[in-house]
Amino acid sequence: RPREPVFIAKGDKKTVFDVPNEYLNDRYKPLGVSLSNRFAEDAEERVQVKKISIPPFGEILELERDENFSLFIPKHRRVAGKLIDIFLGMRNVDDLLSVATYARDRVNPYLFNYALSVAILHRPDTQDIDLPTFIESFPDKYVDAKVFAKAREEATVVPEGSRTPIEIPKDYTASDLEVEHRLAYFREDLGINLHHWHWHLVYPFEAAREVVAKNRRGELFYYMHQQIIARYNYERLCNKLKRATRFNDWTKGIEEAYFPKLDSLVASRSWPARVANQRIRDLNREVDQIKQDVDDLKRWSDRIYAAIHQGSVTDERGRTISLTENEGIDILGNMIESSILSPNRTFYGDLHNMGHVFVSYIHDPDHRHLESFGVMGDSATAMRDPVFYRWHSYIDDIFQEYKATLPRYSENQLNYPGITVSNIEIQSQGSPKNTFNTFWQQSDVDLSRGMDFQPRGSVFVRFTHLQHQPFTYKITVNNQANGNRRGTCRIFMAPKNDERGNPWLFRDQKIMFIELDKFTVNLKQGQNTITRASTQSSVTIPFERTFRNLDLNRPQGGEALAQFNFCGCGWPAHMLIPKGTPEGLASQLFVMISNYEDDKVDQKIDGVCNDAGSYCGIKDKLYPDRRSMGYPFDRMPRTGVDTLQQFLTPNMRVQDVTVKFSNRTVRPKQRS
Ligand code: CUO
């Protein structure tokens, strides 16, 4: 790495690009045509790259090719925005190919990949272009550094076909002496980190306005990350740990250490670690053009809290914008994150993004050691670090502070007259009813695309991840209304007790609920039985999609490819259900049928990538649910409601369920 300048695999065909000599980097120019010819030996297809006049790259080239790249660093996001604009501005695909070919060998590889991915995702004429999954392009962001030496050895010594997968141990970043390590299977899960990378790819906070201004993107920033925290806290309770505490005292050290054990293949450096009790300090890093004081975080957060309590924000021109019941959360999401849609970045600042930056430079705030950022500085790696959850707990708490100011849902806003949920049952193969079963499973990923060894060919790594037995919900609903009805079935789950083993107060439990599924149901008069498979969840994408072309069931045809990049967004199916405990973690499954008339969004969502809408939205569509995200748990309960039972109206029901973990490992099926 950097990999071959002109050779890529396109679909299953090996393609070589004939690049105009002017586009080659100076060191390759003398080689010219002979270079393409060398790579053409293996090629089944030759593509001529058209010579066009290349727009000026300016600042984009200031980021060295062997530096790390972070979207959270203002300078990096600015150059990313510029490169995205160049890619989006090309008149047609041929011109895009030309400029991309020119850029590929000059621009920082991470920046190049990010900007091109965003452009391909958003250009109408590139909807059928197939990008390799991110883990194949940059496996070093996901996999133990040790694997690469082994992979290289495997690739050079062992012929393809006889290669055996290299096993990544389940525990490699710490020992059990570190209690936080109990959560490593969640934090370091490849699918979770890929989801998070994709989410930020689909919802960039800085790019052309038409790319950023997606429907309810600020609200989705809040909701998707709120759900990550709820899921993580659920997992913590499964592991006998208390919920994550907010990182809100910036004068104190961060107790949790993290040693990522990742090497950047691009920067040829190890990702920096953080020892216990390090404190964030004022940043002054000329190289990144960052000069920011910890006090700025304080100022921004004070102003944000003031806006929440006033119920309005002030925009750049001094105008007042109210935080209305429907749109307030969206404005706040953009403001706190912040995105270019923030009403006033000068005043409310860049709280969440800069939090990532402060933490990621904790080891070298003034660049005296010439070190780059830690894992918190990159959306592909941030979720590996325990402090991610402390930072996002803090951010989420601000959103909850706002939600607490909203009018509470009245019984009328919750109930669906005539509709009663009368029974809920979970059926999971081979286990008693209302029990979820979890276990370890091993799967293989091909890393060869992200490595520049010869001879080429697949090199698989085998990793271990959580999995659950597939299950079905069987829900009985009575419709005593006059005629057929439509409803939205909303399924959530939460631990039954808090970390002390005490039943929750509703106000605390409501933010523990993780969404499992949401779908429309038709209810005839009388009794209805709804059956729904866990694999249909509106939260998840199947394993094959998370790891796309590693899999034998790779999507075929233009239609499938059109969804390719967007569809990488989605919670990994194997992480739908928390780990539970060997004795079985008592949990509560919640089902609600809400009135479809109040939920519906008039649009067609059939066909493309419409199956992970809950956390990712739907490509080029409105968010598919008109209610506030997180409904009905997104607000404080009405007066007199202290427990979940008291919260229920007839169209809701709660079933006690158990999540049982068995410490066994299912090996992968033999690959042909
Ligand atoms: Cu996804 Cu902080 O927003 O990482």
Side-chain angles (χ1 to χ4, degrees):
R1 213 192 258 268
R3 286 159 293 158
E4 318 86 300
V6 287
F7 182 81
I8 66 152
K10 190 178 155 207
D12 295 328
K13 233 190 227 170
K14 292 188 172 162
T15 303
V16 68
F17 291 101
D18 287 324
V19 180
N21 214 30
E22 293 82 345
Y23 287 10
L24 293 179
N25 220 333
D26 286 345
R27 66 200 161 107
Y28 293 131
K29 271 184 189 153
L31 299 171
V33 180
S34 69
L35 193 65
S36 340
N37 286 341
R38 199 173 101 210
F39 290 109
E41 279 168 22
D42 267 357
E44 294 149 58
E45 185 187 27
R46 285 183 85 117
V47 174
Q48 297 298 323
V49 176
K50 207 169 85 183
K51 206 170 111 188
I52 57 163
S53 64
I54 300 289
F57 273 53
E59 217 188 3
I60 297 168
L61 300 177
E62 283 174 22
L63 186 66
E64 296 290 332
R65 283 178 55 76
D66 61 356
E67 274 182 74
N68 213 340
F69 164 74
S70 166
L71 279 170
F72 294 116
I73 297 172
K75 182 185 169 185
H76 292 195
R77 51 174 116 128
R78 194 169 64 236
V79 295
K82 286 186 176 165
L83 188 57
I84 294 168
D85 283 349
I86 290 180
F87 288 149
L88 287 176
M90 291 293 116
R91 279 171 312 170
N92 52 45
V93 175
D94 283 349
D95 288 11
L96 176 67
L97 177 64
S98 294
V99 79
T101 313
Y102 175 85
R104 185 174 187 264
D105 208 24
R106 288 178 169 74
V107 172
N108 175 287
Y110 293 126
L111 166 60
F112 174 79
N113 180 291
Y114 171 74
L116 188 60
S117 303
V118 173
I120 285 177
L121 193 55
H122 292 92
R123 285 181 69 103
D125 56 0
T126 49
Q127 295 304 302
D128 61 348
I129 287 182
D130 172 3
L131 279 184
T133 166
F134 195 66
I135 191 172
E136 288 188 4
S137 303
F138 298 108
D140 49 327
K141 294 199 181 197
Y142 297 91
V143 175
D144 180 3
K146 275 192 184 166
V147 161
F148 297 103
K150 287 187 194 157
R152 197 164 284 124
E153 187 182 319
E154 190 77 13
T156 38
V157 179
V158 186
E160 202 180 358
S162 326
R163 295 178 192 166
T164 49
I166 299 156
E167 214 165 300
I168 312 177
K170 184 152 59 63
D171 298 293
Y172 69 93
T173 49
S175 70
D176 291 341
L177 201 53
E178 170 59 63
V179 289
E180 291 295 327
H181 184 60
R182 292 180 205 167
L183 271 300
Y185 68 91
F186 181 95
R187 288 187 276 104
E188 290 161 8
D189 182 79
L190 299 180
I192 287 183
N193 281 284
L194 281 165
H195 159 70
H196 189 237
W197 155 258
H198 271 102
W199 193 93
H200 284 282
L201 188 70
V202 175
Y203 295 100
F205 49 79
E206 197 151 312
R209 210 181 160 83
E210 64 270 22
V211 170
V212 178
K214 294 199 172 73
N215 180 238
R216 294 169 75 179
R217 59 101 50 217
E219 184 178 8
L220 194 55
F221 170 78
Y222 138 75
Y223 182 59
M224 199 286 287
H225 290 87
Q226 187 276 329
Q227 283 287 295
I228 287 179
I229 296 303
R231 286 180 166 275
Y232 184 66
N233 282 334
Y234 205 143
E235 258 358 293
R236 291 182 71 85
L237 297 197
C238 296
N239 288 282
K240 312 249 181 314
L241 291 172
K242 64 181 169 67
R243 282 164 283 170
T245 49
R246 290 173 297 156
F247 175 42
N248 60 342
D249 185 346
W250 304 316
T251 61
K252 275 214 192 115
I254 298 169
E255 268 170 58
E256 296 84 354
Y258 187 64
F259 290 73
K261 297 179 182 52
L262 298 175
D263 282 356
S264 166
L265 294 180
V266 169
S268 301
R269 285 278 160 76
S270 293
W271 284 77
R274 188 183 59 255
V275 295
N277 300 312
Q278 272 188 299
R279 209 159 38 83
I280 58 170
R281 285 170 292 166
D282 296 345
L283 296 177
N284 187 3
R285 294 178 52 106
E286 220 166 287
V287 54
D288 304 310
Q289 296 175 9
I290 295 182
K291 199 165 180 315
Q292 199 92 60
D293 290 352
V294 176
D295 273 356
D296 289 323
L297 291 181
K298 182 85 185 90
R299 270 187 282 278
W300 295 335
S301 87
D302 285 347
R303 291 168 188 168
I304 291 165
Y305 273 101
I308 288 170
H309 296 137
Q310 273 161 7
S312 65
V313 299
T314 309
D315 76 3
E316 298 274 358
R317 293 198 224 152
R319 289 174 305 203
T320 301
I321 306 169
S322 320
L323 296 171
T324 58
E325 208 178 315
N326 285 332
E327 271 133 41
I329 186 69
D330 196 43
I331 295 171
L332 279 179
N334 285 314
M335 194 168 106
I336 294 171
E337 184 181 6
S338 66
S339 81
I340 56 161
L341 306 180
S342 167
N344 193 343
R345 257 181 161 175
T346 322
F347 191 66
Y348 299 110
D350 195 12
L351 181 64
H352 153 266
N353 290 337
M354 285 313 291
H356 276 269
V357 175
F358 274 106
V359 174
S360 70
Y361 281 138
I362 207 163
H363 54 282
D364 195 13
D366 55 11
H367 200 225
R368 72 177 65 185
H369 298 293
L370 311 178
E371 281 290 312
S372 186
F373 50 82
V375 291
M376 269 289 273
D378 186 333
S379 59
T381 52
M383 288 185 70
R384 308 173 78 84
D385 189 332
V387 75
F388 173 93
Y389 305 89
R390 296 200 51 206
W391 180 242
H392 270 277
S393 295
Y394 166 71
I395 295 296
D396 189 55
D397 195 58
I398 305 178
F399 288 123
Q400 298 303 338
E401 180 85 12
Y402 167 69
K403 286 285 186 175
T405 66
L406 296 179
R408 292 137 199 245
Y409 293 121
S410 65
E411 270 185 77
N412 274 344
Q413 287 171 298
L414 295 169
N415 197 15
Y416 189 176
I419 305 297
T420 312
V421 180
S422 50
N423 195 47
I424 308 170
E425 206 177 292
I426 298 298
Q427 297 169 331
S428 185
Q429 237 175 29
S431 55
K433 69 176 185 188
N434 299 325
T435 304
F436 297 97
N437 269 309
T438 64
F439 50 90
W440 299 122
Q441 184 176 48
Q442 291 192 320
S443 298
D444 297 346
V445 191
D446 182 3
L447 295 189
S448 53
R449 203 195 288 256
M451 304 189 63
D452 61 347
F453 41 65
Q454 293 289 345
R456 296 198 66 86
S458 300
V459 175
F460 281 89
V461 295
R462 178 161 293 173
F463 65 102
T464 306
H465 56 86
L466 189 66
Q467 184 60 287
H468 56 271
Q469 201 68 251
F471 59 90
T472 42
Y473 308 94
K474 202 171 140 216
I475 301 161
T476 315
V477 182
N478 261 311
N479 172 7
Q480 278 140 353
N482 212 351
N484 297 343
R485 289 287 182 271
R486 288 190 97 183
T488 305
C489 183
R490 299 166 190 271
I491 307 181
F492 291 84
M493 186 163 75
K496 189 171 181 175
N497 301 308
D498 68 11
E499 47 275 83
R500 296 190 175 102
N502 296 333
W504 297 97
L505 280 177
F506 180 78
R507 51 176 302 156
D508 298 324
Q509 192 182 18
K510 74 179 174 42
I511 52 169
M512 290 297 294
F513 274 99
I514 60 171
E515 185 173 336
L516 295 183
D517 206 348
K518 180 163 68 179
F519 50 94
T520 309
V521 287
N522 291 313
L523 303 168
K524 60 178 189 326
Q525 267 191 303
Q527 185 165 304
N528 296 264
T529 306
I530 300 165
T531 35
R532 174 93 170 172
S534 55
T535 49
Q536 292 172 287
S537 165
S538 65
V539 170
T540 59
I541 55 173
F543 187 86
E544 297 72 33
R545 186 110 57 77
T546 296
F547 296 101
R548 291 172 306 210
N549 40 4
L550 83 96
D551 195 87
L552 307 169
N553 309 321
R554 194 167 167 199
Q556 297 294 324
E559 169 83 345
L561 293 176
Q563 315 152 11
F564 203 64
N565 299 297
F566 184 90
C567 299
C569 188
W571 193 253
H574 63 265
M575 296 302 285
L576 176 66
I577 300 296
K579 186 178 170 205
T581 57
E583 60 282 9
L585 187 86
S587 295
Q588 290 179 303
L589 189 80
F590 168 93
V591 174
M592 172 186 199
I593 310 278
S594 58
N595 188 343
Y596 183 72
E597 285 309 307
D598 301 325
D599 308 334
K600 74 164 183 240
V601 175
D602 280 318
Q603 62 180 350
K604 277 215 166 64
I605 54 158
D606 38 294
V608 259
C609 197
N610 56 2
D611 57 348
S614 291
Y615 295 171
C616 294
I618 299 180
K619 186 168 160 51
D620 306 324
K621 304 280 171 167
L622 303 177
Y623 187 78
D625 180 5
R626 203 161 81 220
R627 305 271 191 176
S628 298
M629 296 182 197
Y631 173 85
F633 294 122
D634 69 311
R635 300 197 186 173
M636 280 296 173
R638 60 194 186 273
T639 336
V641 171
D642 292 324
T643 65
L644 180 61
Q645 281 304 329
Q646 292 166 343
F647 177 71
L648 304 182
T649 46
N651 57 328
M652 304 178 194
R653 194 177 176 89
V654 171
Q655 174 64 51
D656 279 349
V657 293
T658 308
V659 189
K660 214 166 158 50
F661 170 71
S662 66
N663 197 3
R664 64 192 164 95
T665 306
V666 176
R667 314 277 298 179
K669 282 194 209 103
Q670 211 57 42
R671 274 193 318 274
S672 56

